[in-house]
Amino acid sequence: VAVWGTRVQIKAWDWSAIAVTNGMGEFSFDGLSNPVTYTLTLLDVPSLPIDVPTDWGRLSVVEFRQSR
């Protein structure tokens, strides 16, 4: 089940940004230009942060799923 209107924070070093999920539960961050590991955190629902390694010229896709 998609969760809309949830804030997703991305962080690396001393920088961070926030995106909000759309009606399909999707979000995106544009213009990430450093091949580093970013930490994604859902701010409005209980969750654990997830580390996402990135690389030059590659699209990274992350899907948060509810654990049971």
Side-chain angles (χ1 to χ4, degrees):
V1 172
V3 179
W4 62 273
T6 298
R7 295 175 301 149
V8 181
Q9 181 182 56
I10 188 169
K11 292 172 76 172
W13 304 303
D14 62 346
W15 172 86
S16 69
I18 294 175
V20 179
T21 59
N22 65 17
M24 296 184 347
E26 299 171 338
F27 63 93
S28 66
F29 292 97
D30 225 1
L32 303 177
S33 59
N34 295 304
V36 300
T37 297
Y38 293 95
T39 300
L40 294 177
T41 306
L42 297 176
L43 299 177
D44 301 316
V45 295
S47 65
L48 297 173
I50 184 170
D51 290 333
V52 181
T54 62
D55 203 357
W56 294 111
R58 292 191 174 235
L59 178 67
S60 296
V61 177
V62 175
E63 183 176 312
F64 289 93
R65 291 183 176 228
Q66 183 178 9
S67 64
R68 298 185 194 268

